[in-house]
Amino acid sequence: MNSHGSDPPPAQGPFERRVDVPYRELDIEGLQSEIASQLAERRYPREGVFAIRLAIEEALVNAYRHGNRCDAGKRVSFACRIDDEAARFEVGDQGPGFDIDSVPDPTDEENLEVPSGRGLLLMREYMTAVEFVAPGNLVRMHYLRDAT
Amino acid sequence: MAAQASKLKVSQVGAVTQVEFVDRNILDESNIQQIGDEICALVDEQPTPLVLIRFGNVEHLSSAALGALITINNRIKGKDGKLRLSEIDPQIREVFAITKLDKIFLIFDDADEAMSSFG
């Protein structure tokens, strides 16, 4: 047996979480805190933790607001898998989906003073990749830890 | 039913109403709604509102919070008032830049500079 006190710790397994509940039962703050601490343990950069926190918030709120039409009794699904390379997320809602090409660009001059419509933009800017699965009521996104 | 605790610290400095946030994270929908309503109520109290919102305490902010700020800005402009923002964390400042909202909000590094800008 060659185990010594100075041996490196074993590789940490992935962190996984799956939630599927009515929106009103979703503890977003608790989920965010848990994910933030998992990211910190795996040495994700500070800007990565900020990015992921923002993207998760936007995806969950979009699922409630736009997907489920603000019906807090409708279900929102959330799944994540975080390892040392990437943090992957899926957020789904019970809505009919949407055509991503029909979403107005919030950075167009005429839309700048419109109070809503920036969630998708922020998710795409802050995550490494964002993909909507047809018909548009499931979003998959990931953040690569070492992407610059 | 007990009134909800305020999410804001409000002070009057000369003609300017200064607003700071109690929470570090301005993410939660119901909190944002409350914050928006509280600031709009402050704006409605004044004939020509001059408002400085200070973000020194804020670490996270979502697009819903940006939406609330736009609504507040529109309401202040409707009364010929002025809104200034200050002490925004660089990461949050980047959110304003990505959304190009730095074109419609006047953002200052510190509160003194912002106060001087009211003229």
Side-chain angles (χ1 to χ4, degrees):
Chain A
M1 191 159 145
N2 60 0
S3 176
H4 299 286
S6 58
D7 283 351
Q12 204 173 15
F15 168 78
E16 295 186 358
R17 170 73 70 234
R18 194 170 282 276
V19 182
D20 186 344
V21 293
Y23 183 79
R24 71 164 65 90
E25 292 174 25
L26 194 60
D27 175 12
I28 297 181
E29 188 67 37
L31 204 55
Q32 297 271 29
S33 299
E34 193 173 24
I35 288 166
S37 69
Q38 290 293 331
L39 295 168
E41 273 182 32
R42 288 171 171 78
R43 298 190 182 139
Y44 278 69
R46 184 174 171 263
E47 61 269 24
V49 178
F50 179 90
I52 290 167
R53 187 168 196 144
L54 185 60
I56 292 173
E57 178 73 25
E58 298 298 343
L60 290 172
V61 169
N62 274 353
Y64 162 66
R65 240 190 208 187
H66 302 295
N68 290 345
R69 303 282 191 265
C70 295
D71 182 344
K74 285 193 172 174
R75 302 180 84 82
V76 170
S77 64
F78 173 86
C80 77
R81 186 180 197 279
I82 301 169
D83 59 31
D84 290 345
E85 286 179 9
R88 299 177 191 280
F89 304 91
E90 272 189 17
V91 174
D93 60 62
Q94 292 191 280
F98 72 108
D99 173 13
I100 190 144
D101 295 327
S102 69
V103 178
D105 181 351
T107 64
D108 280 351
E109 205 71 39
E110 69 268 20
N111 295 330
L112 279 181
E113 295 190 59
V114 177
S116 62
R118 292 174 181 82
L120 287 182
L121 168 70
L122 292 175
M123 287 157 62
R124 286 171 147 169
E125 282 288 331
Y126 278 98
M127 297 299 276
T128 309
V130 176
E131 171 203 6
F132 283 87
V133 180
N137 58 2
L138 180 72
V139 59
R140 288 195 184 116
M141 54 190 183
H142 70 262
Y143 184 97
L144 296 179
R145 188 186 69 176
D146 299 325
T148 51
Chain B
M1 200 169 82
Q4 278 183 298
S6 176
K7 298 283 178 192
L8 305 176
K9 286 185 268 184
V10 180
S11 54
Q12 195 67 31
V13 182
V16 178
T17 304
Q18 290 195 3
V19 177
E20 291 174 82
F21 300 99
V22 172
D23 296 328
R24 292 189 174 278
N25 299 327
I26 309 179
L27 295 167
D28 180 77
E29 285 269 303
S30 59
N31 283 350
I32 291 167
Q33 180 74 44
Q34 188 185 339
I35 285 168
D37 290 349
E38 283 189 45
I39 298 178
C40 284
L42 290 171
V43 169
D44 291 344
E45 282 170 12
Q46 301 171 47
T48 310
L50 304 177
V51 179
L52 169 60
I53 303 182
R54 304 178 62 176
F55 286 81
N57 191 38
V58 177
E59 293 174 357
H60 291 276
L61 175 147
S62 67
S63 69
L66 296 176
L69 285 173
I70 291 168
T71 301
I72 291 161
N73 190 43
N74 290 342
R75 190 171 297 214
I76 290 174
K77 278 201 311 189
K79 298 182 83 174
D80 289 328
K82 292 176 182 172
L83 173 66
R84 305 287 188 257
L85 313 181
S86 71
E87 299 141 280
I88 299 180
D89 174 272
Q91 283 188 312
I92 297 178
R93 187 94 180 227
E94 196 187 341
V95 174
F96 279 84
I98 288 168
T99 53
K100 297 194 180 167
L101 291 179
D102 52 355
K103 285 184 176 180
I104 66 166
F105 290 112
L106 285 172
I107 302 173
F108 296 87
D109 288 340
D110 62 67
D112 288 342
E113 206 186 330
M115 289 296 283
S116 306
S117 77
F118 284 105

